[in-house]
Amino acid sequence: MTVSPFARALDTALDRSVVPGFSKIGYAVRRRLPTWPADPAIGALAGRHVAVTGATSGLGTATARQLSDLGAHVHLIVRNTDKAADIAAELRGASTTWKCDIGDLDSVRDCAARILADGPPLDGLVHNAGAMPPERAESPQGHELSMSIHVLGPVLLTELLRPAMKGRDARVVFVTSGGMYTQKLPVDDPDYTHGEYSGSTAYARSKRTQVELLPILTTRWARDGISVYAMHPGWAATPGVTDSLPAFDKVMGPVLRNVDTGADTTTWLIASQPRPRGGGLWMDRRERPTSFLPRTRPTSDERRRIWEWAAQAVDLTP
């Protein structure tokens, strides 16, 4: 057996075992394997403009910092502009802040209009903004909040910013979660109106939806030269994990990844050359399976139905 097949088999074994693979152990082992892709070149994003939602904490801040270190002009799309000012002051390069509540579709439309009017062309867009409401909450448009923040807002923002990314080899990254492996596509109840509500289940459902829309969004946005990816950061120690999943944070804390490790593959997808193949789910710089269990694997008809729901919710023609 040559080194490369052995390394790939070890990588896959880590992935299937979950605990070591999703933890900092998995990242540390994979980075030392000969199958690990090269880091982006110094200055790889010089002269490029990349937008990051949810950039004021956790993975979003780490992503903004890494992109800036590679030379990008980083556009911070945030709800709290005061926090963004603190982040911007720490970045090595130039940045611009745009106020936007990703869960509010009217706010998304307003933000996109301002970026198109006053901002430069974009070479990348990272959908990092996230939330895990402990109780069911709705967006101003009446959609379950997790689904609105993780699916509807990002889809609408990308769609509206297509003119700014057209013909620029732009890359769009959805920051998803390993929790989506536990859930199937909620085609019959995307707004979680039935049954007892669970914040973690709603979160995982919305992340499953992100991933399963990839084939459709890839086809839709490819006409403008835009590649789309989902990126699973592994288990990372973030303020969101600490606040929303305190028991998990307490038990798994010693092996959680730091935010820079969690953000690594997002930055790599945006900056690496040649362009990675779009349309898939990535973790630790390698494309991963989207389902491990048959019950969570949707049909093409189920993908079509969830896309029709999402498109209608944000007033797009599917």
Side-chain angles (χ1 to χ4, degrees):
M1 181 180 292
T2 63
V3 172
S4 184
F6 172 78
R8 186 164 289 271
L10 177 57
D11 186 353
T12 299
L14 286 168
D15 203 31
R16 301 303 189 272
S17 61
V18 179
V19 176
F22 288 9
S23 72
K24 65 182 182 182
I25 298 168
Y27 181 86
V29 171
R30 290 183 177 113
R31 192 167 182 89
R32 288 166 174 78
L33 294 176
T35 49
W36 185 260
D39 292 341
I42 296 173
L45 295 175
R48 302 296 185 97
H49 290 257
V50 183
V52 181
T53 71
T56 55
S57 69
L59 296 175
T61 298
T63 301
R65 183 172 58 250
Q66 291 175 9
L67 295 171
S68 182
D69 288 347
L70 289 171
H73 182 125
V74 181
H75 295 259
L76 309 172
I77 300 179
V78 301
R79 289 190 302 167
N80 189 321
T81 54
D82 291 336
K83 287 185 178 180
D86 294 335
I87 302 303
E90 298 173 1
L91 298 181
R92 177 176 299 181
S95 66
T96 304
T97 296
W98 306 90
K99 185 176 177 61
C100 182
D101 181 349
I102 296 297
D104 181 346
L105 300 181
D106 292 335
S107 180
V108 170
R109 292 186 177 94
D110 175 71
C111 179
R114 285 184 281 114
I115 292 175
L116 290 176
D118 301 327
L122 291 175
D123 302 284
L125 174 58
V126 177
H127 292 297
N128 172 81
M132 189 185 296
E135 298 178 353
R136 189 181 184 279
E138 292 187 349
S139 71
Q141 291 74 35
H143 296 289
E144 192 275 322
L145 195 56
S146 288
M147 193 67 82
S148 190
I149 292 173
H150 303 143
V151 178
L152 301 182
V155 167
L156 179 60
L157 183 62
T158 307
E159 187 74 21
L160 295 175
L161 291 179
R162 282 172 65 178
M165 295 187 282
K166 185 175 182 179
R168 297 187 61 83
D169 187 27
R171 305 174 193 185
V172 174
V173 180
F174 288 81
V175 179
T176 190
S177 166
M180 69 98 191
Y181 282 116
T182 67
Q183 297 296 317
K184 63 181 182 180
L185 201 60
V187 288
D188 296 321
D189 188 20
D191 278 314
Y192 211 147
T193 57
H194 304 298
E196 183 177 356
Y197 183 83
S198 162
S200 59
T201 298
Y203 183 88
R205 286 181 175 185
S206 67
K207 296 298 184 177
R208 166 61 69 184
T209 303
Q210 285 180 333
V211 170
E212 298 304 342
L213 285 179
L214 285 174
I216 294 169
L217 297 177
T218 294
T219 299
R220 184 178 182 90
W221 296 334
R223 69 189 73 175
D224 292 326
I226 299 169
S227 298
V228 58
Y229 311 86
M231 192 288 299
H232 166 27
W235 291 338
T238 67
V241 169
T242 300
D243 294 341
S244 301
L245 299 170
F248 175 83
D249 182 66
K250 183 177 181 179
V251 173
M252 302 302 298
V255 296
L256 293 182
R257 303 177 178 203
N258 61 39
V259 291
D260 287 311
T261 302
D264 172 81
T265 298
T266 294
T267 300
W268 182 82
L269 287 168
I270 292 291
S272 64
Q273 293 293 343
R275 176 175 62 178
R277 182 177 69 173
L281 168 65
W282 292 71
M283 184 181 73
D284 290 346
R285 304 189 186 187
R286 179 180 169 187
E287 193 168 351
R288 306 287 169 178
T290 58
S291 293
F292 294 138
L293 303 174
R295 69 175 180 82
T296 66
R297 189 173 295 116
T299 65
S300 58
D301 181 66
E302 288 172 330
R303 289 194 188 95
R304 177 188 60 79
R305 288 169 57 196
I306 203 74
W307 165 237
E308 289 177 348
W309 168 81
Q312 183 180 29
V314 299
D315 296 324
L316 297 181
T317 301

